[in-house]
Amino acid sequence: MSLGDDHQSSGGYGGTGQTRTRLPDGDGDGYGGPRRGGRSSSRSLVTVVGVVVLLIAAIAFANRGGDDSASPDDTAADKPKASSTAPSGTQPVQAGFARDEQGAQSAAANYAVALGSADMFDKAKRDSILQAIIVPSRVTDFEATLDKAYSPGFNKNVGLNEDGSTPKGYTFVSRTSPIGTKVTENSADKATVEVWCSGLLGLAGQNSTAPVTNSWFTITMKLEWVNGDWKIVTHSQKDGPAPIPGDDKASSADEMAKAVQEYGGFTYAR
């Protein structure tokens, strides 16, 4: 399922359109998104679910448009080869991820992005995401576990209202950016992929009690080939690897809020 750039899915994530995304679990923050020092226990609550929750604040699962796909005239010789240190350069497929090692990595990277999304805090959107990227046999369990994880108390802890909505005058940020992927196990219909990520989480705005912070973590997804696409079977997360912090000066609350509003998140990670 490819996560299109045109957002043309007929029912959001849960529509009939193919999509690409990400998810919660493991030892990390609840949604596989950025971690905050003082709220590690709350984030652990979400990850205990065995699902790492990651992006889709405005990510709509959609069919990949033909304009972005490689033309029939392209040959293998014209395409760059993947390596351990560089992106492959291969264009997204029109429907679904490829049934190979690279396709599994692309699926995992995009699922990480979706599961770190702010949409994970919305019950309806969260269920649609899970229905699109989890193996059918485990969707119900994932939904039940995450319904408990995304409790009024958890929402309040990250700066939101108890119902998951954003307080007036603030901008909620929850984004995850894949830095790289690695396949540790691979077969015709199963794959285990590790995704190294950086994330942002917090409430941007004056007097915010939960300002936007950055974190680094690695997500491990066990995927299975089901109904013509890769689906998540299990998900876990651990801290790092984290680089030494630079000398960047933290932006003001207004600058951060403006940046989040003006710079849209990516819907296709790899």
Side-chain angles (χ1 to χ4, degrees):
M1 62 174 58
S2 61
L3 184 56
D5 295 333
D6 300 325
H7 306 298
Q8 299 174 339
S9 62
S10 59
Y13 315 109
T16 57
Q18 298 288 331
T19 69
R20 304 195 172 197
T21 347
R22 73 184 149 193
L23 165 82
D25 170 73
D27 307 323
D29 54 58
Y31 29 78
R35 299 163 183 282
R36 189 181 307 292
R39 293 197 290 279
S40 61
S41 60
S42 297
R43 286 196 173 283
S44 296
L45 175 62
V46 184
T47 51
V48 171
V49 199
V51 197
V52 179
V53 196
L54 303 165
L55 168 88
I56 275 199
I59 288 188
F61 286 85
N63 290 318
R64 185 69 188 179
D67 293 339
D68 295 327
S69 60
S71 68
D73 296 328
D74 288 341
T75 62
D78 296 326
K79 300 176 181 178
K81 296 181 179 179
S83 71
S84 60
T85 58
S88 66
T90 300
Q91 294 296 319
V93 291
Q94 292 188 14
F97 293 96
R99 189 176 185 177
D100 55 22
E101 185 173 301
Q102 179 174 285
Q105 292 183 69
S106 291
N110 283 281
Y111 294 165
V113 171
L115 292 171
S117 163
D119 278 3
M120 290 298 291
F121 288 81
D122 181 293
K123 165 65 176 174
K125 294 179 180 178
R126 181 171 66 246
D127 286 351
S128 292
I129 293 173
L130 298 180
Q131 290 165 15
I133 66 179
I134 304 299
V135 290
S137 62
R138 299 212 59 199
V139 171
T140 299
D141 290 339
F142 270 54
E143 291 179 345
T145 302
L146 290 181
D147 283 347
K148 294 179 180 179
Y150 284 93
S151 65
F154 176 73
N155 290 334
K156 186 176 182 180
N157 192 56
V158 297
L160 298 174
N161 294 319
E162 293 188 349
D163 62 358
S165 61
T166 303
K168 184 177 181 180
Y170 292 90
T171 299
F172 181 58
V173 185
S174 181
R175 296 186 185 181
T176 294
S177 299
I179 304 301
T181 57
K182 178 178 69 174
V183 173
T184 57
E185 293 183 26
N186 184 50
S187 66
D189 57 1
K190 293 182 180 180
T192 298
V193 183
E194 293 184 2
V195 186
W196 180 29
C197 307
S198 175
L200 296 177
L201 177 68
L203 203 62
Q206 291 296 333
N207 302 316
S208 171
T209 58
V212 180
T213 59
N214 172 253
S215 64
W216 295 82
F217 46 93
T218 297
I219 299 167
T220 298
M221 296 184 196
K222 287 190 176 181
L223 306 174
E224 183 175 327
W225 186 260
V226 179
N227 298 326
D229 208 352
W230 291 107
K231 303 284 185 177
I232 295 174
V233 178
T234 64
H235 206 295
S236 62
Q237 179 177 316
K238 64 181 181 180
D239 293 326
I244 296 175
D247 297 325
D248 301 306
K249 179 181 178 181
S251 298
S252 67
D254 287 341
E255 290 177 318
M256 183 58 69
K258 182 179 181 182
V260 173
Q261 295 167 357
E262 295 182 346
Y263 294 88
F266 293 109
T267 60
Y268 187 76
R270 182 183 187 281

